[in-house]
Amino acid sequence: QIANDAREGHWNTMARLSLRDELDGLQRRLAIVIMQTNKKEKNSNKLITQWLALNGHIQARWNILLEMLHSSPGIDYTMFFIALRELSDLIQVA
């Protein structure tokens, strides 16, 4: 959604780039957190399954947020920033 946003202008471009950078960083942090769950496991699918089993509350909160975003008639940058902030909070809780 972020990459496909076609709004023009300097500030929209800056916001889009900031959002993408933030998302990339959060994805890296999440991957590290998941890999640290079981340092001996090499299968990524098993690692993700194990992490989700240990952190079902995080997945539940994230799913609620995604449902709210998907049910919105339109998505703007504010919603993206809030979603990324929530994801960051969820990763820290794990």
Side-chain angles (χ1 to χ4, degrees), residues 67-81:
E67 286 176 24
M68 290 170 45
L69 288 172
H70 288 293
S71 67
S72 281
I75 295 180
D76 61 28
Y77 288 136
T78 305
M79 297 165 83
F80 284 128
F81 280 111

Side-chain angles (χ1 to χ4, degrees), residues 9-76:
H10 174 73
W11 293 109
N12 287 324
T13 300
M14 295 300 291
R16 187 170 41 256
L17 292 173
S18 294
L19 286 165
R20 289 178 66 184
D21 286 347
E22 181 69 16
L23 180 58
D24 289 344
L26 288 171
Q27 287 175 325
R28 278 190 298 277
R29 282 180 36 208
L30 181 58
I32 290 167
V33 167
I34 290 171
M35 289 188 296
Q36 290 175 339
T37 300
N38 182 348
K39 294 181 181 179
K40 293 180 181 181
E41 181 60 62
K42 302 298 181 202
N43 183 299
S44 59
N45 288 331
K46 287 182 182 179
L47 279 168
I48 292 168
T49 300
Q50 290 172 359
W51 187 83
L52 288 172
L54 294 171
N55 296 284
H57 62 287
I58 291 174
Q59 184 180 14
R61 279 183 55 190
W62 183 246
N63 286 340
I64 290 169
L65 179 66
L66 288 179
E67 286 176 24
M68 290 170 45
L69 288 172
H70 288 293
S71 67
S72 281
I75 295 180
D76 61 28

Side-chain angles (χ1 to χ4, degrees), residues 26 29 61 84-94:
L26 288 171
R29 282 180 36 208
R61 279 183 55 190
L84 292 178
R85 177 59 187 200
E86 180 70 10
L87 181 57
S88 175
D89 290 348
L90 293 174
I91 292 169
Q92 290 178 16
V93 169

